[in-house]
Amino acid sequence: MDVPELLESASLLVPEDTATDNDITVRDIWDYLVHDEWEIALGLLEELGDARPLPLTYWEKLAEAAERLRMERSAAWCRWRCSEIRNGVIRADLTLLAAAEARRTTPIHSGVLRPMWDLGHLSPTGGRSVSIAALWMENTPLLEPGGRATVRLVPLTPAHWTHVQANRQITMHETRAVAGIAVILEVRPPATTMPTL
């Protein structure tokens, strides 16, 4: 499939009554597709994907279209959304410790870091057990030490995260030392029952 076919195919997976916060619908996107405004159509389709859960196939088509358009950040975001569907997602308010308080002195980038998280589990020997989750910052590509952002976590092992609930505090680790503190905002399990069409 070429880019227009991928975008058209993805748009057909969006229910007609779906709209973005700015009241953009699939019908509006078709106007952009007719006029070969593929980058705009892709961005709006990404926004529509935030309006309601859509199948894995939707995000796969958008990721492929973004890759063909060489829109690296969009491609990474769409692949990230595929991971959320497969593994679940936890949204949290993360505050990194300041550089003077932690080992990290450089910013972290969305989709690159897979830190360890202390969820309160104990190892068989009674010590602390951590779980790994990839990290994506909402509305910012990077987070400086001492900074704060809403983040999305995709667990490597979703079963480790089943007891985590909203308002719970967890700690982020890159070494044994605490690197950040997060308060859980929302927990969504893997979408195992969502059709892939």
Side-chain angles (χ1 to χ4, degrees):
M1 281 187 192
D2 60 15
V3 170
E5 289 173 325
L6 287 164
L7 295 175
E8 288 171 14
S9 179
S11 71
L12 293 172
L13 298 172
V14 180
E16 282 190 44
D17 63 339
T18 305
T20 67
D21 290 340
N22 298 326
D23 292 327
I24 300 291
T25 66
V26 174
R27 289 177 188 245
D28 299 310
I29 293 168
W30 277 92
D31 289 337
Y32 289 107
L33 290 173
V34 166
H35 294 96
D36 296 333
E37 299 278 352
W38 302 333
E39 293 88 355
I40 295 171
L42 174 64
L44 293 173
L45 285 167
E46 288 176 22
E47 283 186 49
L48 280 177
D50 291 334
R52 70 166 46 178
L54 293 169
L56 179 62
T57 305
Y58 176 82
W59 291 104
E60 289 171 338
K61 289 177 186 296
L62 293 186
E64 188 175 343
E67 287 164 0
R68 290 181 184 208
L69 291 169
R70 293 189 165 90
M71 296 174 67
E72 293 176 17
R73 181 136 173 96
S74 283
W77 172 242
C78 294
R79 294 281 177 220
W80 180 271
R81 293 301 298 265
C82 290
S83 295
E84 289 184 354
I85 291 168
R86 289 185 196 104
N87 301 311
V89 63
I90 291 95
R91 293 181 65 246
D93 181 20
L94 172 65
T95 303
L96 290 182
L97 296 183
E101 302 174 55
R103 297 183 79 161
R104 174 167 286 281
T105 58
T106 59
I108 58 175
H109 298 268
S110 281
V112 176
L113 193 63
R114 288 182 166 82
M116 299 170 286
W117 299 88
D118 185 349
L119 307 175
H121 294 295
L122 296 177
S123 71
T125 61
R128 178 179 64 207
S129 176
V130 292
S131 297
I132 297 172
L135 184 144
W136 186 283
M137 275 89 62
E138 293 183 357
N139 305 317
T140 183
L142 56 86
L143 181 61
E144 298 281 348
R148 181 177 173 186
T150 300
V151 298
R152 299 170 84 98
L153 308 175
V154 170
L156 181 65
T157 309
H160 292 184
W161 296 74
T162 56
H163 70 290
V164 175
Q165 297 178 353
N167 299 317
R168 178 166 182 183
Q169 183 174 299
I170 61 175
T171 55
M172 181 182 110
H173 300 260
E174 295 181 86
T175 64
R176 289 182 181 260
V178 173
I181 298 170
V183 175
I184 304 299
L185 301 172
E186 177 185 8
V187 178
R188 282 188 244 153
T192 55
T193 59
M194 186 171 285
T196 57
L197 300 177

